[in-house]
Amino acid sequence: VGDTKVDHAAVEAVTEVVARPCPDCGNLATGVYCEVCGEEIEPNLPTLKQYFKELFNEFLSFDSKLIRTIPALLFKPGFLTTEYVAGRRKRYLLPSRIYILVAVVVFFSMNAYIHLKLERVIAGSATIFHFHFKHLTIAQSATLLEAIARLSTSIAPYVLLLECSPLFALALKLIYRKSKIVFAEHLIFTFHLFAFALLILTPALLSRIRFMKTGAYVVFAIYAGFAVHRTYRTTGWRLSGKLFGILIAFIGLAIQAAVLTFVLAVWACWIFEVVPHGAWGI
């Protein structure tokens, strides 16, 4: 052993760590994953077995999160928001994801409902539309109304997500302007509240049963009160005042969103010339 010579150059060559560029961000990384973006340094395409295994695991993960998220959203007002803000996020779907998922399901259902009821509704409305807009024939009125109805269900989710949500979060920021709550927390609360509103209020609005509509409005107001209490720790008369302001902001933005959606749908019909421009009488 004493005569054994250690080749220091060989040892250094073996122990030397080779830095390799990240395929995503270009950072020189020495490990299996990039220290900057987390991308795998030498990614290999998965085999068919690995692909289906990853797909199955992703489905199970999403499914278990969804099962935990929906009951919490429906029966624990404000709970998901407080959990997210506290950093406990792995067990539930992200606020934006649950909001988008609910919006897609609700508006897809609305589109199917409109398709089933469209023929009867359009037949009656087209005559009224033709009475007010003489330049349009009854057939053109029916075509235009159908296009507006279908486009509205496609445009509405984008209006809610990109326009109403930030504005409502801004309204919350103004209502709680004296607190140190950051805008992002108001936006997360908005996502959860809007998701609940879509699930509860949309079926009621489509229903012809009057007490169902009234009941849905009352349930939403009560839910909003508990959500505000849990999220913002507001109590007493102060809670009543804040809740009143929040509900007024919600109603105002809902009306504004409906008008904007209708205007955008009509504008799209004009751009794509659903009926000839000359028939509009403009």
Side-chain angles (χ1 to χ4, degrees):
V1 177
D3 296 332
T4 303
K5 294 182 178 180
V6 178
D7 189 345
H8 294 287
V11 172
E12 289 177 2
V14 172
T15 57
E16 182 182 359
V17 178
V18 179
R20 293 161 296 177
C22 172
D24 190 5
C25 68
N27 173 60
L28 292 177
T30 56
V32 179
Y33 298 95
C34 176
E35 297 89 346
V36 175
C37 67
E39 182 67 75
E40 191 175 358
I41 297 303
E42 293 185 354
N44 297 315
L45 291 176
T47 63
L48 189 63
K49 180 180 178 181
Q50 290 172 334
Y51 173 78
F52 281 107
K53 183 178 179 181
E54 290 177 5
L55 184 64
F56 183 70
N57 289 335
E58 285 292 329
F59 174 77
L60 286 182
S61 175
F62 176 82
D63 191 52
S64 61
K65 286 183 178 182
L66 183 64
I67 290 173
R68 286 191 290 265
T69 301
I70 294 298
L73 176 69
L74 292 176
F75 304 113
K76 294 182 177 180
F79 174 77
L80 291 175
T81 303
T82 55
E83 287 292 286
Y84 187 89
V85 172
R88 296 183 287 270
R89 304 169 184 177
K90 290 291 184 181
R91 292 173 53 84
Y92 309 100
L93 290 178
L94 294 174
S96 56
R97 183 171 295 183
I98 185 62
Y99 181 31
I100 293 172
L101 177 65
V102 169
V104 168
V105 171
V106 166
F107 285 102
F108 178 82
S109 303
M110 281 183 64
N111 199 23
Y113 176 85
I114 288 173
H115 179 73
L116 291 174
K117 302 290 184 180
L118 202 58
E119 185 176 348
R120 185 178 64 183
V121 173
I122 293 297
S125 301
T127 304
I128 300 172
F129 204 75
H130 170 69
F131 178 79
H132 290 285
F133 299 92
K134 301 296 185 181
H135 293 84
L136 295 172
T137 65
I138 293 180
Q140 288 174 335
S141 298
T143 301
L144 184 58
L145 287 173
E146 181 179 356
I148 290 173
R150 293 190 182 282
L151 284 169
S152 294
T153 57
S154 300
I155 294 171
Y158 297 99
V159 172
L160 287 176
L161 180 64
L162 301 177
E163 196 254 356
C164 283
S165 299
L167 286 180
F168 188 77
L170 181 61
L172 291 173
K173 182 69 176 175
L174 293 174
I175 291 172
Y176 285 94
R177 58 187 176 276
K178 293 183 180 180
S179 68
K180 296 181 180 179
I181 301 173
V182 297
F183 180 81
E185 186 173 342
H186 295 303
L187 189 60
I188 291 164
F189 176 83
T190 299
F191 286 154
H192 290 138
L193 185 65
F194 276 28
F196 178 83
L198 287 173
L199 288 173
I200 298 300
L201 298 180
T202 305
L205 291 173
L206 295 177
S207 173
R208 293 186 176 183
I209 305 174
R210 183 175 299 178
F211 78 86
M212 185 175 178
K213 297 179 187 290
T214 305
Y217 299 149
V218 172
V219 168
F220 176 74
I222 294 173
Y223 180 95
F226 279 106
V228 170
H229 169 68
R230 173 175 272 166
T231 303
Y232 297 103
R233 300 176 181 85
T234 311
T235 57
W237 288 106
R238 191 165 175 265
L239 172 61
S240 301
K242 299 290 186 184
L243 180 60
F244 179 77
I246 289 170
L247 291 177
I248 292 297
F250 181 86
I251 294 170
L253 282 173
I255 296 172
Q256 179 267 153
V259 173
L260 179 59
T261 299
F262 177 77
V263 169
L264 290 175
V266 172
W267 178 74
C269 290
W270 169 266
I271 292 297
F272 294 107
E273 204 168 350
V274 173
V275 295
H277 287 166
W280 292 73
I282 298 176

